[in-house]
Amino acid sequence: MLDGDVPGDAGFVLPLLRPGMRVLDVGCGLGAVTLGFGTAVHPVQVLGVDPEPERLVKAGGVVRRRGISTVDFAAGAALRLPVAEAAFDVVFAHALIERTKDPAELLAELLRVLRPGGTLALSTSDWSRAKLRPRTANVDAALRGYFQLLRARGEDPFAGRRVAEHVERAGFREVRARSRHRPGLEYRVLAERVESGLAEALRAPGGPDPQLASAARSAWSWARGGGGEFSQCWTELVAVRAP
């Protein structure tokens, strides 16, 4: 099973694709979006890059079994992409800016590999506008602790609010962004993931952080409560590298 969802994660990119284009999917994971791009418009050549080679072995196996010649994969880090300068017409990344300590450094690398006049497309989450029902005091407390964990790792849970600003500063032009809510994890699965992350943090050397301990108790209660609804807010951005 490939991860990713082309209509959900990257549907806004499909109208940008034209025959003959070269497309780069940065942080492609198991390659579902990469494969979707490569079969959406013919012929479009698509390269998926991910830092975990074992994911790419699985993705490459799917491509070979289906006999798809327009899709390839390469191992590499987003900050040091294994591709030449100005090599792609479209560069896409889903859920990448929010996991990057230095967005300016990442965007400089994406600018490097994009041809003049080419298009950057980003899908970036914004937890500040996520919708959860019910949203109880325990949910809020647990999420505050979870966001504290993300920031400690250099991530930005609210990156979707600022991604357009980062892209403009990086030198891109014609920046257009819109926000859209899409179903995310199941409500209870999200609660369990938050609980697990906080519990793991409390086992780290140095003793438990009182704020995280309180958040973990709230997450425990949330995960054992009833069901609910969750939809994540995504900022879908399109910009152009200046000619």
Side-chain angles (χ1 to χ4, degrees), residues 131-136 139 183-192 221-231:
K131 294 180 179 179
L132 296 100
R133 297 187 182 87
R135 186 156 189 164
T136 65
V139 171
L185 298 172
E186 292 183 8
Y187 183 85
R188 190 183 292 265
V189 172
L190 173 63
E192 292 170 350
S221 298
W222 175 19
R224 285 153 185 78
E229 298 177 355
F230 166 58
S231 62

Side-chain angles (χ1 to χ4, degrees), residues 125-132 135 143 146-147 150 156-160 190 194 230 232-233:
S125 62
D126 180 2
W127 277 96
S128 71
R129 290 182 284 181
K131 294 180 179 179
L132 296 100
R135 186 156 189 164
L143 287 175
Y146 188 61
F147 299 157
L150 295 180
D156 181 0
F158 303 154
L190 173 63
V194 170
F230 166 58
Q232 180 60 286
C233 180

Side-chain angles (χ1 to χ4, degrees), residues 7-110:
D9 296 343
F12 71 104
V13 182
L14 296 180
L16 305 174
L17 303 183
R18 300 289 184 272
M21 281 185 166
R22 298 194 68 210
V23 180
L24 178 65
D25 182 7
V26 183
C28 66
L30 293 176
V33 170
T34 316
L35 182 62
F37 286 161
T39 56
V41 178
H42 185 76
V44 171
Q45 296 293 324
V46 188
L47 176 67
V49 174
D50 196 88
E52 299 187 26
E54 61 273 17
R55 291 179 173 180
L56 303 181
V57 170
K58 295 179 181 179
V62 172
V63 168
R64 287 190 296 273
R65 286 194 298 272
R66 297 185 186 180
I68 299 170
S69 61
T70 56
V71 173
D72 201 357
F73 296 97
L79 296 179
R80 295 177 299 278
L81 293 167
V83 297
E85 184 175 344
F88 292 90
D89 301 286
V90 176
V91 173
F92 170 74
H94 170 72
L96 186 60
I97 291 288
E98 53 266 58
R99 295 183 284 115
T100 303
K101 293 182 179 181
D102 188 346
E105 185 179 6
L106 171 63
L107 289 167
E109 179 66 352
L110 301 186

Side-chain angles (χ1 to χ4, degrees), residues 103-232:
E105 185 179 6
L106 171 63
L107 289 167
E109 179 66 352
L110 301 186
L111 183 72
R112 180 186 72 81
V113 302
L114 190 63
R115 69 164 178 81
T119 300
L120 173 73
L122 301 174
S123 177
T124 307
S125 62
D126 180 2
W127 277 96
S128 71
R129 290 182 284 181
K131 294 180 179 179
L132 296 100
R133 297 187 182 87
R135 186 156 189 164
T136 65
N138 278 328
V139 171
D140 281 335
L143 287 175
R144 282 196 298 271
Y146 188 61
F147 299 157
Q148 180 181 336
L149 280 183
L150 295 180
R151 292 189 180 100
R153 296 204 299 253
E155 301 183 25
D156 181 0
F158 303 154
R161 293 190 303 189
R162 292 179 284 271
V163 63
E165 179 182 341
H166 289 310
V167 169
E168 288 174 349
R169 286 180 178 173
F172 289 88
R173 300 291 182 265
E174 301 177 38
V175 179
R176 292 171 287 144
R178 69 172 185 176
S179 296
R180 186 160 69 93
H181 283 86
R182 301 199 304 268
L185 298 172
E186 292 183 8
Y187 183 85
R188 190 183 292 265
V189 172
L190 173 63
E192 292 170 350
R193 181 170 296 186
V194 170
E195 179 193 17
S196 175
L198 290 167
E200 182 179 354
L202 291 177
R203 292 192 292 270
D209 180 298
Q211 289 183 317
L212 292 184
S214 176
R217 290 191 292 271
S218 294
W220 187 93
S221 298
W222 175 19
R224 285 153 185 78
E229 298 177 355
F230 166 58
S231 62
Q232 180 60 286

